[in-house]
Structure formats: C-alpha cells, structure tokens
Amino acid sequence: MRIITGKYKGRHFDIPRSFKARPTTDFAKENIFNVLVQYVDFENATALDLFSGTGSISLELLSRGSSQVVSVEMDRDHHRFICECIKKLGEETCIPLRADVFRFLKSCHQQFDFIFADPPYALKEIPTIPDLIFEKGLLKDDGIFVLEHGKDNDFQQHPHFLEHRNYGSVNFSLFK
C-alpha cells in the first residue's frame, strides 16, 4: 500500500497477508483523488473514513493535509494496523476508532468536509449508507461523500447523487 501524493508521497506500508480487507487499488485511489480535487480542498479539511480497512484512504488524507481524519474500522487487527501506520507517520490529527460503522453513524454529531466509505462489496446494507449520511447531517453543505462499491449498486436516482466513476472493478459514487 502506497501513499500517492502529499507530504508522505511514496511511503509504503506492508499489509499483513492475513488481512481480509481489500485496499482500494493505487490506480483507483489515484484516479478518484484526481477527480476529487475539483470538489474538495483537502488542506485543512475534516474527513471521515468509514470501513477504513487498511487505512489507505485515511493515510492519503493525512498526507494531503487534512486537519482531522476520523478513521472507523471494526476489525481489531485492521484497527491495530491503522494505529501503527499513523504512529509511524507521527500524526496526531487522525482519530482511529474501533467501532461498528452503523452504530457510529447513528451517534455521530460532527460534520465533515469529506466522507469516504469503502464497505465490503457483499454488505447488504450498502444502499442505506448514503441515506444515513444525509439524514444525520454529517456532511457539511459544500462537502463531498464518496462511496466505493461493486458493479451491482446503482445510486444515480439518489437525490444527492453527483457522479459515478469506474476504474476496473472499482466503482465510486459521489454525493453532494
């Protein structure tokens, strides 16, 4: 796993082979961030990374200068790995939480400039995630929410849908 750009550009972190998480590929991550720079100024942004997995997106956000990144991951080993990566970078602006994303969303009262969610593609609750984000008012008025998902999900009819991007088997739906 590699950080694409920013102050930690090029830093690599070796993901343990035992991990169940599938990190967003470098190709897909680089392309979606190239799209996102027209919507989000990551410098000093507050960000929420849901289903953090390996922490790849959280680390990218830190590298790009986000002032705060809340990283939510339920798996104990994945959470520990994210904490180790953050410690190696010497970052104090990332808050790695070991929590169930759906419980977190129901109790969160903070608003964010940028929200990224990368749930397991087989998760049956994927279609409910955009509604939870907007019903709870977690996104600032000018914020962007990105949902990574498989090819079977289509969000084009969602009232907050902005655009869809596809990079191989990786799909991103953007919401505003």
Side-chain angles (χ1 to χ4, degrees):
M1 174 178 78
R2 143 182 98 87
I3 297 176
I4 305 298
T5 198
K7 62 184 174 183
Y8 303 120
K9 179 181 180 176
R11 290 282 302 263
H12 285 268
F13 296 91
D14 294 325
I15 301 166
R17 294 185 191 270
S18 61
F19 269 28
K20 298 168 270 193
R22 137 207 63 70
T24 303
T25 64
D26 287 348
F27 174 76
K29 182 169 63 169
E30 184 169 10
N31 280 290
I32 195 62
F33 271 96
N34 285 342
V35 170
L36 290 171
V37 294
Q38 64 186 317
Y39 294 113
V40 181
D41 180 6
F42 291 105
E43 187 76 28
N44 297 316
T46 56
L48 175 61
D49 182 11
L50 301 169
F51 305 96
S52 299
T54 62
S56 173
I57 299 299
S58 292
L59 298 176
E60 191 68 38
L61 291 164
L62 291 169
S63 184
R64 290 168 185 258
S66 292
S67 63
Q68 182 191 48
V69 178
V70 177
S71 178
V72 183
E73 173 56 48
M74 188 165 71
D75 184 275
R76 176 180 42 104
D77 295 333
H78 297 184
H79 175 262
R80 184 180 309 122
F81 179 76
I82 293 166
C83 291
E84 289 170 5
C85 292
I86 293 166
K87 187 175 180 181
K88 285 178 186 175
L89 295 177
E91 280 289 341
E92 296 178 9
T93 58
C94 187
I95 303 167
L97 300 176
R98 183 169 173 238
D100 175 86
V101 166
F102 294 100
R103 284 189 182 148
F104 172 83
L105 290 176
K106 289 177 183 171
S107 64
C108 182
H109 300 290
Q110 183 177 351
Q111 286 192 316
F112 300 91
D113 297 299
F114 179 71
I115 300 174
F116 187 92
D118 181 9
Y121 288 0
L123 186 71
K124 67 181 188 295
E125 293 91 355
I126 287 177
T128 68
I129 296 171
D131 290 335
L132 286 170
I133 299 290
F134 289 101
E135 286 169 7
K136 292 294 291 177
L138 300 179
L139 197 62
K140 291 181 180 176
D141 288 341
D142 58 346
I144 293 290
F145 166 49
V146 176
L147 177 59
E148 183 176 334
H149 57 85
K151 64 181 179 352
D152 295 332
N153 298 102
D154 182 0
F155 295 95
Q156 293 183 45
Q157 300 307 313
H158 193 279
H160 294 279
F161 178 81
L162 184 60
E163 67 175 285
H164 175 262
R165 295 292 176 128
N166 174 279
Y167 304 105
S169 63
V170 180
N171 290 268
F172 297 101
S173 288
L174 284 66
F175 303 84
K176 190 164 183 57

